[in-house]
Amino acid sequence: MIYGIPTYDLPLMGGVAFLSYLIGSIPFGLVLTALSGGGDIRKIGSGNIGATNVLRTGRKGLAAGTLALDGTKGAFAVFCAFVLCPFHTLAAESLAAIFAVAGHCFPVWLKFRGGKGVATGLGCILALMPGVGLCCCALWLIFAKVTRISSAGAIVAFAALPLLMIRPGRIDFHSPAYLAGVLIAVMILIRHHANITRLLKGTEPRIGQKST
């Protein structure tokens, strides 16, 4: 048994992981930009498919739509796990969160070159642990506003995530939700390795800065 899940339920868990990966791999930034006549977002700015790079096109509404949809797909993957696995809910939801973020970061449709997982990760954490998710959102918004650098807010928020998940007086390192949070944080921080390098060099683009 893994996290109290009997062996006969593992195929169901595998199905949850696969479904969550497919949900997470929907490249909303790429789709919305193409449908609006903006071309291939991968050929603009950083080449990323997320909301921050969409914003560099100068189209704030499109960027907001990308942010909302990327966050929603993370929360939706967790919700699907809740519906499909009523007997091992927390483990299923945690698994869904991990694979939804993995799907966004490494979508098979785009040769595993996806986004950085921030909005999807926040959507997953909000659905899995609402209080912690709100704290992460607050950190992201505060640091992004102060520095005018979206990646700075994202890096601070997800670096703090493992600490935010620790309950007062109790450190439940064995909880599937804690494991999910740590893996999501690691995944997103790794995807930001180039941003971290540019931040250290002082060359990271500001929010809303257009690129061609």
Side-chain angles (χ1 to χ4, degrees):
M1 297 176 69
I2 303 174
Y3 284 119
I5 303 170
T7 304
Y8 58 79
D9 272 347
L10 293 181
L12 176 59
M13 289 295 178
V16 167
F18 182 67
L19 176 62
S20 300
Y21 175 84
L22 293 180
I23 293 170
S25 68
I26 302 171
F28 283 114
L30 180 64
V31 173
L32 291 180
T33 305
L35 290 176
S36 68
D40 190 340
I41 190 63
R42 294 172 295 178
K43 297 179 180 178
I44 299 171
S46 65
N48 192 266
I49 63 171
T52 300
N53 198 44
V54 173
L55 185 59
R56 293 192 180 107
T57 66
R59 306 177 73 170
K60 294 182 180 180
L62 209 60
T66 300
L67 179 67
L69 288 170
D70 281 347
T72 299
K73 71 183 181 183
F76 181 66
V78 174
F79 174 74
C80 287
F82 171 78
V83 172
L84 293 172
C85 299
F87 302 109
H88 312 290
T89 307
L90 184 59
E93 290 176 338
S94 302
L95 189 68
I98 294 168
F99 277 87
V101 175
H104 179 83
C105 294
F106 311 104
V108 64
W109 331 110
L110 304 180
K111 299 181 180 179
F112 303 102
R113 297 176 182 175
K116 296 180 181 177
V118 177
T120 304
L122 288 174
C124 289
I125 298 301
L126 280 167
L128 191 61
M129 297 168 280
V132 174
L134 288 173
C135 289
C136 283
C137 288
L139 284 173
W140 177 42
L141 291 172
I142 290 169
F143 277 87
K145 185 173 180 61
V146 169
T147 63
R148 288 191 53 78
I149 301 174
S150 180
S151 62
I155 290 165
V156 169
F158 283 96
L161 177 57
L163 295 176
L164 293 172
M165 290 187 295
I166 297 175
R167 300 178 186 177
R170 179 184 176 189
I171 303 176
D172 192 1
F173 292 128
H174 301 291
S175 167
Y178 189 85
L179 176 62
V182 169
L183 289 177
I184 288 171
V186 168
M187 217 181 321
I188 290 173
L189 291 175
I190 288 174
R191 292 290 292 159
H192 279 81
H193 70 279
N195 303 83
I196 294 171
T197 299
R198 289 194 295 270
L199 283 168
L200 293 174
K201 291 180 178 179
T203 59
E204 181 74 340
R206 304 278 173 173
I207 293 174
Q209 181 177 328
K210 292 185 181 181
S211 297
T212 57

